[in-house]
Amino acid sequence: MIIADDMSPSTLNPFAPGGDHFIVAIIGQAWMTGAWDIDGYTLERIPDVLTELPTVANGGVVVNADGTMTVTYHIRDAARWSDGVPISGDDFQFTMEAAVDTPQDNKFASPYTDARIIATEVGDKTFTMTLRRPTMQHQLLFRWLIPRHAVEGTNLAEDWNTTTWPSGGPFVLELFDENTAATFVRNENYWKTDPATGMQLPYLDRVEFVFLRDIDPVLGITKLVNAFKAREVDVIQPPPSTKYTID
């Protein structure tokens, strides 16, 4: 599948400067993973590497007598990175630590400071954190996870802009050029399966994001739309301000 966009990313890293740009999140869905995801049909939050989203009803969220709030995450046994290393509570801990050290004008980083986390407990397949006071802020955390075993000891803001850490998503990076395209191939270690057939996901062998930012001087419309009309790409997101018709 070829997906075209009129934006191009300066980085693949959501925690780097410029990493909170919309195009980074779009591409990130191919290779990153987190505690939760968005259901494509209902647009509701759903668990990704978790067995379930923590709530008061299931005991994952507890308001304590001292006014603090404890949130517990249970990680799926099968969840692992593309290099085969299991996703663990230590990855949640490392993500939290890395995000707090990230410039706070980044929308993926600032919620960790705003949540006022005062204590954590790490397990192989669990992560528990205590917040200073009850808040819904915890729902914004861990959209993307960072693997400690691969990233610790590196410069998060500088070393992961044109490459990726081990994928937790359905694809792994093959090639990235910020001016032209980002190409991903199937993650053979992806842990999710199709619930209807039991077949390992993803369905596709390859997905390519191409960046078409220019205006076609002859047609006066974006190259994005022109490429879609010519069936050179499969999916586009037209700029909302562009006026055009497609026969």
Side-chain angles (χ1 to χ4, degrees):
M1 176 177 287
I2 301 176
I3 303 170
D5 206 292
D6 70 331
M7 299 177 287
S8 60
S10 60
T11 178
L12 295 174
N13 180 359
F15 295 93
D20 53 358
H21 199 286
F22 187 49
I23 185 63
V24 180
I26 292 175
I27 296 172
Q29 294 177 78
W31 71 275
M32 288 191 286
T33 195
W36 53 274
D37 203 350
I38 300 294
D39 186 279
Y41 293 98
T42 67
L43 303 184
E44 298 289 335
R45 292 170 68 251
I46 56 174
D48 193 357
V49 304
L50 303 180
T51 58
E52 58 183 349
L53 296 178
T55 66
V56 173
N58 62 26
V61 176
V62 176
V63 178
N64 303 307
D66 61 0
T68 62
M69 185 176 80
T70 299
V71 181
T72 301
Y73 300 93
H74 294 275
I75 305 165
R76 297 178 191 267
D77 289 338
R80 62 185 183 274
W81 302 103
S82 58
D83 59 4
V85 176
I87 297 175
S88 71
D90 208 27
D91 296 319
F92 279 74
Q93 176 76 26
F94 183 74
T95 300
M96 181 196 73
E97 294 169 354
V100 169
D101 291 337
T102 299
Q104 295 306 301
D105 57 352
N106 182 301
K107 68 181 179 183
F108 291 117
S110 57
Y112 293 87
T113 299
D114 298 341
R116 306 295 175 87
I117 302 169
I118 58 176
T120 60
E121 184 177 338
V122 174
D124 287 342
K125 285 293 180 179
T126 59
F127 179 74
T128 300
M129 61 182 183
T130 300
L131 285 63
R132 189 177 302 279
R133 60 179 180 271
T135 175
M136 299 299 290
Q137 193 74 21
H138 71 280
Q139 294 188 353
L140 300 178
L141 306 184
F142 306 112
R143 176 66 181 95
W144 308 122
L145 290 172
I146 308 172
R148 180 187 288 273
H149 73 279
V151 177
E152 188 172 35
T154 68
N155 188 316
L156 178 62
E158 297 180 5
D159 295 342
W160 302 94
N161 290 311
T162 59
T163 188
T164 65
W165 49 75
S167 169
F171 299 94
V172 294
L173 181 67
E174 181 181 63
L175 180 67
F176 173 60
D177 183 326
E178 65 181 77
N179 297 310
T180 57
T183 303
F184 292 82
V185 295
R186 196 172 192 269
N187 175 7
E188 297 299 341
N189 273 329
Y190 193 45
W191 50 277
K192 285 188 178 180
T193 58
D194 182 345
T197 66
M199 293 180 62
Q200 182 187 6
L201 297 175
Y203 300 109
L204 301 174
D205 291 320
R206 174 183 296 266
V207 61
E208 182 177 0
F209 298 88
V210 296
F211 315 128
L212 303 174
R213 302 183 60 182
D214 299 329
I215 300 296
D216 189 303
V218 177
L219 299 177
I221 61 176
T222 65
K223 287 185 176 179
L224 190 71
V225 174
N226 199 31
F228 184 72
K229 291 176 67 177
R231 299 299 185 261
E232 296 170 354
V233 302
D234 302 303
V235 180
I236 65 170
Q237 248 184 173
S241 59
T242 299
K243 297 182 183 298
Y244 57 87
T245 60
I246 298 179
D247 296 332

